Amino acid sequence: MLRLSIGWHFATEGVYKIMSTPEGKNSVLARIFPITEGPTFTSEEYLRASTGPFAEHFRAMVPDVESRDKLNPTRLKEDWSAELGRITAHYGFDEAQTAKAKEALAAKEILVDDYFAAYENQQKIKKYFDDLAAIAAVDRDPDAMSYERERVNDARRSTDYDRRGLIKPIVGWEKDLATAWVGLATPEQADRAGVYAPPLDDLAKIDRMTMYGTTAVGFGLLLGFLTPIAALGGAAFLTLIYLSMPPFPGLPLGPRSEGHYVFVNKNLIELVACLALAATPSGLWFGIDAFLFGWIDRIGKRRAAADASSETETEEAPRASRRSKRSR
């Protein structure tokens, strides 16, 4: 029951995450699992909110975590030009289509220049980077007082709010450009090339590993297939989740925390349960492992029984000899 419960937890989490993606919403499985509503799954918010001694490493998994590239007009235009080149090559635009795409890019670049030239925006961006520098200074200071670190955690949330406000119009322009560029493709080009997808960055790879990894662990535990490996995979995933927001005294609670924990939370309990499952032959009791590897277990039991029988016979032989001598 423990194995099935944890397997169900992992499997449903994984399936929901997969079905939230555009591919999942448009798949045949969407007719079987009508759970496609809501935003696409991303681990970005969770990684950004990381706390504890490993927080810096988890935040670094988010590309451009502080949006410095988006708030640099030169780098921003270079990224847009590179994206235009990828879309043009993907669909095979002709000269007329390429010219229209470049016109759309030029129009957005004018908006970018106006945005960064505005005095108010310059001051907001300067304040944002100054706040980041102040936070980094406290993080690097090993002698920082506990109250200073608590203030930094509050300041980090406030600074991230400012970041989202600063890049909001830029993100909107990027979406408009992508829609306009893809819309230039003819039906024939779209059918031949397929749906355009930007190259996977590190965050997208992490999201896919999370979605498919948790699903594989879940079904492995539910079906009793490679049970020890599935249980260890679940324990490894939960270890990362635990370390990203450890419930240590003095650290802020996670954004989705459901209670007050000190050292031990639900993730750690489930992690220990996965380790316990990995140490038991649960799949051989009930699962696919019994069909695939049961013969190994049966051979082992027969050998153990034979060894025990041999030891019994060895112990009985001297006793029988002594009884025979006494009878004579």
Side-chain angles (χ1 to χ4, degrees), residues 129-179:
F129 285 127
D130 289 344
D131 292 342
L132 287 180
I135 292 172
V138 176
D139 287 337
R140 289 192 300 266
D141 185 4
D143 299 324
M145 305 297 289
S146 58
Y147 75 89
E148 291 179 304
R149 297 195 180 280
E150 291 178 2
R151 290 179 180 177
V152 161
N153 289 323
D154 294 336
R156 184 173 282 113
R157 286 191 290 268
S158 175
T159 302
D160 192 62
Y161 177 82
D162 295 339
R163 179 193 63 82
R164 292 195 299 270
L166 289 171
I167 68 171
K168 183 177 180 180
I170 298 173
V171 172
W173 296 333
E174 288 181 341
K175 291 180 178 179
D176 292 342
L177 274 178
T179 301

Side-chain angles (χ1 to χ4, degrees), residues 51 70 136 141 155 191 206 214 223 228 241 268 292 311 323-324:
T51 58
K70 276 188 170 51
D141 185 4
D191 291 339
I206 291 172
T214 53
L223 301 175
I241 298 298
L268 182 62
L292 297 179
E311 291 176 1
R323 286 196 298 269
S324 176

Side-chain angles (χ1 to χ4, degrees), residues 16-17 19-21 25 36-42:
Y16 267 84
K17 288 175 173 60
M19 299 306 294
S20 73
T21 64
K25 293 177 180 179
T36 59
E37 297 181 359
T40 299
F41 163 75
T42 177

Side-chain angles (χ1 to χ4, degrees), residues 170-233:
I170 298 173
V171 172
W173 296 333
E174 288 181 341
K175 291 180 178 179
D176 292 342
L177 274 178
T179 301
W181 289 337
V182 172
L184 291 173
T186 64
E188 293 77 12
Q189 289 173 327
D191 291 339
R192 182 180 66 253
V195 178
Y196 171 77
L200 296 180
D201 56 20
D202 291 341
L203 181 62
K205 294 175 183 177
I206 291 172
D207 291 342
R208 276 167 169 71
M209 287 190 291
T210 300
M211 291 187 292
Y212 295 107
T214 53
T215 303
V217 167
F219 282 105
L221 293 175
L222 281 175
L223 301 175
F225 177 62
L226 301 177
T227 309
I229 296 176
L232 289 174

Side-chain angles (χ1 to χ4, degrees), residues 32-79:
I32 304 174
F33 301 101
I35 49 178
T36 59
E37 297 181 359
T40 299
F41 163 75
T42 177
S43 54
E44 178 177 356
E45 179 183 357
Y46 200 93
L47 293 172
R48 284 186 181 278
S50 297
T51 58
F54 302 101
E56 183 178 351
H57 300 285
F58 284 106
R59 293 192 195 109
M61 295 179 182
V62 180
D64 193 23
V65 63
E66 295 173 345
S67 297
R68 291 182 181 272
D69 290 346
K70 276 188 170 51
L71 294 175
N72 182 328
T74 301
R75 182 60 186 271
L76 180 64
K77 292 177 182 179
E78 291 175 353
D79 291 343

